[in-house]
């Protein structure tokens, strides 16, 4: 199964619709991986003490999706690095 990739914005993961409708149409399926990449806003303490997701939008997204879809085995990875730029994301 191909992984789902989230590039710093939840709009890539959840279609632009009303909240209940959007969550029912979640694009990530059972067994897929969501990777969050970006700069310090994405990293947001993912290394310690708030490992592995940090304490920002990544943690909120993981909590929201996990609460709404507890049966789905979705793997989440936070790969945010403070100071990264768009060019760094490609390397």
């Amino acid at each position: 199964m191909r992984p789902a990739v989230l590039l710093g914005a939840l709009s890539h993961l959840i279609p632009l619709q009303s909240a209940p409708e959007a969550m029912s149409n979640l694009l990530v399926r059972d067994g897929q991986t969501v990777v969050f990449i970006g700069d310090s806003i994405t990293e947001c303490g993912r290394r310690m003490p708030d490992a592995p997701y940090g304490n920002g939008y990544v943690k909120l997204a993981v909590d929201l999706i996990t609460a709404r879809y507890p049966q789905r085995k979705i793997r989440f990875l936070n790969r945010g690095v403070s100071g990264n730029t768009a060019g760094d994301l490609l390397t």
Side-chain angles (χ1 to χ4, degrees):
M1 195 174 286
R2 296 180 60 190
V5 178
L6 177 63
L7 300 175
L10 294 179
S11 62
H12 292 278
L13 181 63
I14 301 171
L16 296 175
Q17 301 167 358
S18 67
E21 222 177 288
M23 288 305 291
S24 68
N25 294 321
L26 185 71
L27 299 177
V28 181
R29 301 292 174 223
D30 193 33
Q32 289 187 311
T33 299
V34 176
V35 180
F36 295 87
I37 58 175
D39 59 10
S40 59
I41 293 171
T42 305
E43 180 179 37
C44 204
R46 77 171 171 98
R47 296 173 193 235
M48 284 199 218
D50 297 308
Y53 304 121
N55 58 9
Y57 83 89
V58 173
K59 175 76 167 122
L60 292 173
V62 170
D63 288 348
L64 174 69
I65 294 165
T66 302
R68 179 64 174 87
Y69 297 99
Q71 74 283 7
R72 290 201 189 166
K73 293 171 180 48
I74 300 171
R75 182 177 176 217
F76 298 95
L77 301 173
N78 183 347
R79 295 296 184 251
V81 177
S82 183
N84 263 7
T85 64
D88 297 320
L89 300 177
L90 299 174
T91 60

